[in-house]
Amino acid sequence: MLKIFKKYYGYQWLGAIICGLLLPFIGRLLGMSGLHKVIWFYLVINGLYTLYLGYSIRRRGLSPFIMLALPVIFSGISTLALHLVSRQYGFYFGLMYIVLSLFTFFGDTRDDPDENQIPVENGFRDLNSNV
């Protein structure tokens, strides 16, 4: 079961559901002010998760389409369907989450395993060939 969970990006989907659905729902249950929800839940927690998600996807070689899970759940379900988040915040934060995950996805690649390989775009120059 754990192998299937990992194969179908279970941890990433679980994190997206927690950040996209559960946090806005908890904020409404606790009666938090809009300012505190925006700062702590939508900016800090979800922002840090999307930064980690972009790095994790690049590091593990996962499909980049999983970066769309949190923005779709947050903007689509929490904003449009359940009205947990106001529309003026929902779509803009969804775009911000995509941009943040792309920053770390395309960011510093010095620790990638293929960084020290020999580039072969123009072929090997030191090899002698009789062709």
Side-chain angles (χ1 to χ4, degrees), residues 17-123:
I17 290 171
I18 288 171
C19 289
L21 278 177
L22 210 57
L23 285 180
F25 185 70
I26 289 172
R28 179 164 285 182
L29 280 179
L30 294 177
M32 294 178 73
S33 69
L35 180 65
H36 285 95
K37 284 192 288 190
V38 166
I39 291 173
W40 294 108
F41 287 164
Y42 307 152
L43 282 176
V44 175
I45 295 174
N46 287 358
L48 289 174
Y49 174 72
T50 55
L51 288 172
Y52 166 74
L53 183 66
Y55 174 78
S56 171
I57 288 171
R58 178 179 52 88
R59 184 76 176 148
R60 293 189 178 113
L62 303 174
S63 173
F65 292 111
I66 197 68
M67 285 189 285
L68 298 175
L70 176 63
V72 166
I73 290 174
F74 184 79
S75 298
I77 297 173
S78 292
T79 302
L80 290 178
L82 299 178
H83 305 288
L84 294 173
V85 181
S86 68
R87 286 183 183 227
Q88 62 188 6
Y89 292 127
F91 296 114
Y92 294 119
F93 278 121
L95 289 173
M96 184 189 78
Y97 299 150
I98 291 172
V99 170
L100 284 176
S101 61
L102 287 175
F103 278 151
T104 54
F105 183 74
F106 290 118
D108 187 18
T109 60
R110 287 180 287 175
D111 60 347
D112 282 347
D114 62 345
E115 188 66 30
N116 295 324
Q117 293 181 355
I118 299 172
V120 292
E121 287 89 15
N122 294 328

